[in-house]
Amino acid sequence: MRIIRRLLIWGVPAVLILGVIAGVIGWRIYEGARASNVGSLTFSNPLYVPPLLEPASDAQGRKVFDLTLEAGQTELIEGELTPTWGINGSHLSPVLRASRGDEVLINVHNGLDGESTTLHWHGMDLPALMDGGPHQLIRPGETWPATWTINQQAASLWFHPHPHGSTTDHVYRGIVGMFIIDDEDSKSLPIPRQYGVDDVPLIVQDKAFNDDGSLRKRRPPFASLGPLGDEILVNGTHDPYFEVRTTLVRFRLLNGSPARTYSFGFTDGRSFSVIASDSGLLESPVETDRVQLSPGERAEIVVSFTPGDEATLHSFGADLGQDFFTERLNGADDTFDILQIRASQQLDESSPLPEQLVSWTAPDAGEAVATRSFRLSGSSINGQRMDLTRVDEVVRAGSTEIWEVSTGGPHTFHIHLVRFLVLDVDGEPPPPLLGGWKDSVQLQPGRSYRLLVRFADYADPTSPFMFHCHILEHEDSGMMGQFILVDEEDDAPRSLPDPYGDGQED
Ligand code: C2O
Ligand code: CU
Ligand code: CU
């Protein structure tokens, strides 16, 4: 009797609780499988290669680019029209290209109806006022002239909107472009550089669609990363293939997705050479069969082909650390095709990659004048959410610092303006693919990353630069902070104006 009563008292709730837990886990696994259900492709559409935008030149010898942000409709998925945004077109942007030493003037016209936005030059070394962060708001109908002198090594940079709280939305709708920087090294080294032929940008983005073709932000339940699409677009092309005519081809990979991390490789297991990370060429090519990129990160890879060869670029399960729930959604099970590359029967022989690409003397960590610690968790950094009027860090212009970053979950730490070297991860030297200059680094839960950060000499005590998580919804929800560059500590202001404070904003 007593035993039966006990069983009823404890057993029924236990069964209920277990049932709920099983249900939640089952749903997560089901959604995880759906998330990875990008699946295999048939490769029926030629890859779109965004054109290079030819600059004009003005009386001061500047390279002038005119960009118009506009809304339109694009056939992203066969037979469907999707309302999208783009630059000088309805989706994505032409590619900008300039060389070290060039002075550029970029007129960014906001042709979007009723929406203010900004355009941020991700990875660019420039004054804060030209950075295009959340403070450089461009209202509808306005034109923002951004001008600076290119002052950094060759790299594959990119640009995207950065309005406070709406970055995910504006990027997801399609305003993304690549900015290629050249320098003496990149122009003289024997590396593939014929744009669109053996030097090809690959902007990889996942999207989901509603039945009427409109974009959908598909958020699997309990997922904390943000939207994870079930279709992959490369340069806006769904189900793409690309034909190559040379034995070596360089691909500039950009993860332009709001949340998803990719682990790029080829289905036949072939290896390739990574020649550049976010902020430029590595000292020497690193041979590998996988390169993992979290949102905002870039890598340049060189792949070799034989006549008639076919290779499928694929994303293998990404390694995000050890968060079980996240891993179900965008982790070890998240594997799918991205692009098929077809080699002609006749290939032009490319020169072999040099063993050494560039050389630099890494700044001595002993030169660092300050060490700061950042912990990313919840929707905040060091317990604080983004506040446009608060100055979080004051940094001496032209200095080198050590930034120590750690996290409770999978995040990607990005710092505007700078380039940095990963000094160590949990005290150990970084893996070879993290051996070059970076502006964004993927963080794994529970690990600690020491970054050696070079700050350029653009003191401006009234205009901040951002640092934030590049998982876009994390940034939008407040995982961002601001630093200013000063010549003298006393120059530091206590608070900044809020450009959104005039009621004109949504
Ligand atoms: Cu692409 Cu503030 O970043
Ligand atoms: Cu940036
Ligand atoms: Cu994050």
Side-chain angles (χ1 to χ4, degrees):
M1 215 41 211
R2 242 168 99 186
I3 290 182
I4 289 174
R5 235 178 54 210
R6 272 215 182 144
L7 265 180
L8 281 177
I9 291 170
W10 295 107
V12 171
V15 166
L16 282 178
I17 290 170
L18 285 177
V20 169
I21 292 176
V24 168
I25 292 176
W27 180 243
R28 292 293 304 224
I29 290 171
Y30 167 72
E31 277 294 324
R34 279 194 53 195
S36 51
N37 217 1
V38 174
S40 26
L41 298 171
T42 55
F43 311 111
S44 16
N45 304 311
L47 177 78
Y48 172 71
V49 178
L52 290 170
L53 186 61
E54 258 323 301
S57 96
D58 71 1
Q60 297 157 62
R62 294 185 294 190
K63 286 191 172 161
V64 183
F65 298 94
D66 292 321
L67 304 184
T68 299
L69 278 46
E70 55 191 73
Q73 298 214 314
T74 312
E75 188 179 343
L76 295 177
I77 297 293
E78 301 79 348
E80 308 262 12
L81 276 184
T82 302
T84 51
W85 287 0
I87 297 182
N88 300 359
S90 67
H91 190 238
L92 300 180
S93 168
V95 170
L96 302 185
R97 184 161 205 166
S99 298
R100 185 171 202 157
D102 284 347
E103 202 176 336
V104 297
L105 165 64
I106 308 181
N107 297 307
V108 185
H109 179 72
N110 181 356
L112 299 167
D113 219 11
E115 298 257 11
S116 297
T117 192
T118 79
L119 201 61
H120 164 59
W121 319 106
H122 178 127
M124 199 71 75
D125 176 333
L126 39 47
L129 269 178
M130 301 300 159
D131 187 48
H135 290 267
Q136 284 86 46
L137 211 50
I138 318 167
R139 298 187 194 282
E142 281 181 3
T143 300
W144 175 58
T147 181
W148 71 93
T149 300
I150 305 283
N151 182 29
Q152 66 196 103
Q153 69 173 123
S156 300
L157 310 184
W158 67 300
F159 46 97
H160 61 81
H162 214 303
H164 187 53
S166 319
T167 296
T168 314
D169 188 52
H170 291 199
V171 170
Y172 198 60
R173 289 176 192 236
I175 303 193
V176 163
M178 208 178 255
F179 202 137
I180 298 176
I181 309 273
D182 301 306
D183 66 6
E184 288 314 315
D185 292 326
S186 74
K187 288 179 191 170
S188 61
L189 282 165
I191 51 179
R193 68 167 135 270
Q194 218 188 327
Y195 184 80
V197 177
D198 64 4
D199 179 357
V200 184
L202 299 180
I203 303 173
V204 182
Q205 299 177 297
D206 57 341
K207 304 232 184 267
F209 298 88
N210 294 309
D211 290 340
D212 65 358
S214 60
L215 286 172
R216 173 171 155 230
K217 293 209 193 84
R218 193 178 144 276
R219 271 188 208 77
F222 316 108
S224 56
L225 289 173
L228 288 172
D230 50 10
E231 302 287 359
I232 301 295
L233 304 180
V234 184
N235 302 341
T237 315
H238 178 237
D239 205 9
Y241 69 88
F242 182 71
E243 286 176 346
V244 299
R245 311 202 295 266
T246 55
T247 55
L248 291 185
V249 181
R250 170 191 195 175
F251 294 102
R252 301 176 187 253
L253 285 166
L254 156 64
N255 181 353
S257 309
R260 190 180 238 110
T261 293
Y262 301 85
S263 176
F264 295 101
F266 290 91
T267 48
D268 61 5
R270 73 180 64 197
S271 61
F272 49 88
S273 300
V274 178
I275 60 165
S277 52
D278 301 334
S279 315
L281 292 167
L282 302 174
E283 289 191 285
S284 38
V286 174
E287 175 110 350
T288 181
D289 59 1
R290 289 286 188 280
V291 57
Q292 177 161 309
L293 298 180
S294 68
E297 290 186 292
R298 287 90 64 211
E300 294 178 23
I301 65 172
V302 174
V303 189
S304 76
F305 297 93
T306 54
D309 202 4
E310 252 177 35
T312 302
L313 181 67
H314 190 85
S315 183
F316 294 86
D319 179 8
L320 302 184
Q322 65 272 54
D323 179 329
F324 172 77
F325 280 146
T326 315
E327 291 278 358
R328 302 304 312 168
L329 291 159
N330 171 205
D333 298 345
D334 198 33
T335 146
F336 47 87
D337 289 341
I338 293 177
L339 168 74
Q340 187 177 60
I341 303 159
R342 303 175 187 160
S344 313
Q345 293 301 335
Q346 302 276 320
L347 296 179
D348 291 342
E349 189 71 31
S350 317
S351 15
L353 280 185
E355 271 169 37
Q356 169 110 36
L357 296 165
V358 288
S359 67
W360 67 68
T361 2
D364 179 2
E367 280 167 30
V369 297
T371 300
R372 299 172 204 261
S373 301
F374 300 89
R375 174 135 186 108
L376 282 69
S377 67
S379 291
S380 54
I381 299 181
N382 292 343
Q384 288 196 294
R385 286 194 188 216
M386 171 69 176
D387 178 346
L388 283 156
T389 66
R390 188 184 65 230
V391 176
D392 295 286
E393 310 292 336
V394 177
V395 173
R396 191 170 291 269
S399 69
T400 300
E401 297 196 353
I402 293 173
W403 283 25
E404 239 167 44
V405 192
S406 66
T407 164
H411 297 290
T412 291
F413 192 66
H414 167 54
I415 315 176
H416 285 209
L417 167 77
V418 309
R419 52 184 198 153
F420 57 73
L421 292 170
V422 179
L423 277 179
D424 46 48
V425 181
D426 284 343
E428 301 289 327
L433 287 179
L434 284 186
W437 291 100
K438 302 268 297 161
D439 58 48
S440 305
V441 62
Q442 181 169 28
L443 308 173
Q444 294 197 337
R447 308 205 130 157
S448 158
Y449 299 73
R450 285 203 317 145
L451 315 178
L452 187 63
V453 191
R454 293 273 318 140
F455 292 90
D457 202 355
Y458 298 117
D460 178 351
T462 57
S463 304
F465 290 100
M466 306 297 126
F467 54 92
H468 59 89
C469 178
H470 219 289
I471 292 173
L472 297 180
E473 283 198 345
H474 295 182
E475 170 194 327
D476 281 339
S477 63
M479 192 174 262
M480 174 152 73
Q482 317 191 88
F483 69 94
I484 51 166
L485 291 183
V486 297
D487 283 328
E488 297 294 336
E489 293 297 311
D490 315 337
D491 289 350
R494 295 290 154 256
S495 91
L496 298 165
D498 178 356
Y500 300 75
D502 60 5
Q504 267 188 268
E505 236 1 76
D506 32 71

